[in-house]
Amino acid sequence: SFAQSPEVHCLSVAPNGNVTVNWTPSINMSAVFVQYNIYSNHTGTFTQVGTSTNIGASVFIHNGANAHLGAVDYFITLTYDNGVNEVELPALDTLSTIFLTVNNPGDGTAILQWSDISTPVDPSNGQFYYINREYPVGVWSLIDSVLISESNYYRDTIEICSANFNYRISLNHNAGCQSFSNIDGDLFLDLI
């Protein structure tokens, strides 16, 4: 097969805002592979944040991405050598980190709203956004799921008198990786 840029599958945000980018390597290509180029955008302009010269690579960690402060967009291009010069191919897709905002209306509920990984969301991510809650500290539980086709909104009812709850949203890609949003939360009271 001729060379083409890889498809980005998952973006996972670490608690410190770093982003792990997963893609499928562009193996079995007829051209001479030079490198993958990873680009990101959180200020309005895409800039190159990394490269990998290993054709089998499928992961890049973007340190200092600050994806805990807002959504960050990514695409990956491939550079190959055609024997005369190096050619950078266009990206196949652009994905954004899922950015979660948790609001505390003070009525014993937590209101979760989040951004999409892409528009539309690729069907290979399955049908659901998953709602993960941290309680007690260090213990994450899957508490519910929301159809991707419906809304990026969830209301959690707090059933513990007073506790700090953190939340994050996840997607499961059929390539085997997971996307995770940033973590957000607050001190919530059960008023019911």
Side-chain angles (χ1 to χ4, degrees):
S1 67
F2 188 67
Q4 68 172 17
S5 293
E7 192 178 340
V8 184
H9 296 310
C10 297
L11 299 174
S12 186
V13 182
N16 63 2
N18 292 350
V19 176
T20 301
V21 183
N22 295 86
W23 68 89
T24 298
S26 304
I27 50 176
N28 302 327
M29 50 182 259
S30 54
V32 177
F33 176 81
V34 176
Q35 67 187 25
Y36 298 114
N37 310 289
I38 298 93
Y39 291 85
S40 96
N41 164 31
H42 70 106
T43 58
T45 307
F46 276 96
T47 54
Q48 190 170 328
V49 292
T51 60
S52 177
T53 56
N54 173 7
I55 191 170
S58 62
V59 179
F60 174 78
I61 297 175
H62 180 198
N63 295 313
N66 288 328
H68 59 311
L69 304 177
V72 183
D73 305 327
Y74 289 88
F75 67 76
I76 300 179
T77 64
L78 181 146
T79 300
Y80 73 95
D81 191 324
N82 64 11
V84 179
N85 52 13
E86 292 185 355
V87 179
E88 185 176 0
L89 294 166
L92 290 183
D93 57 355
T94 300
L95 293 187
S96 298
T97 58
I98 302 166
F99 186 66
L100 168 66
T101 304
V102 178
N103 287 307
N104 182 353
D107 62 359
T109 65
I111 307 297
L112 284 65
Q113 292 175 286
W114 61 91
S115 61
D116 278 321
I117 194 167
S118 60
T119 309
V121 176
D122 191 287
S124 53
N125 285 292
Q127 296 181 29
F128 298 97
Y129 279 113
Y130 293 96
I131 315 296
N132 304 272
R133 183 172 69 189
E134 183 187 26
Y135 182 82
V137 173
V139 179
W140 285 94
S141 304
L142 172 64
I143 59 165
D144 210 340
S145 60
V146 173
L147 277 168
I148 291 170
S149 58
E150 287 190 0
S151 74
N152 297 12
Y153 174 91
Y154 184 78
R155 180 176 169 152
D156 189 29
T157 301
I158 308 303
E159 292 153 356
I160 290 147
C161 285
S162 172
N164 279 295
F165 286 101
N166 281 322
Y167 296 88
R168 66 183 178 187
I169 306 300
S170 61
L171 275 176
N172 298 332
H173 194 281
N174 64 18
C177 57
Q178 275 187 305
S179 294
F180 282 101
S181 72
N182 60 302
I183 295 168
D184 195 15
D186 202 352
L187 171 65
F188 291 93
L189 306 174
D190 178 8
L191 302 177
I192 294 161

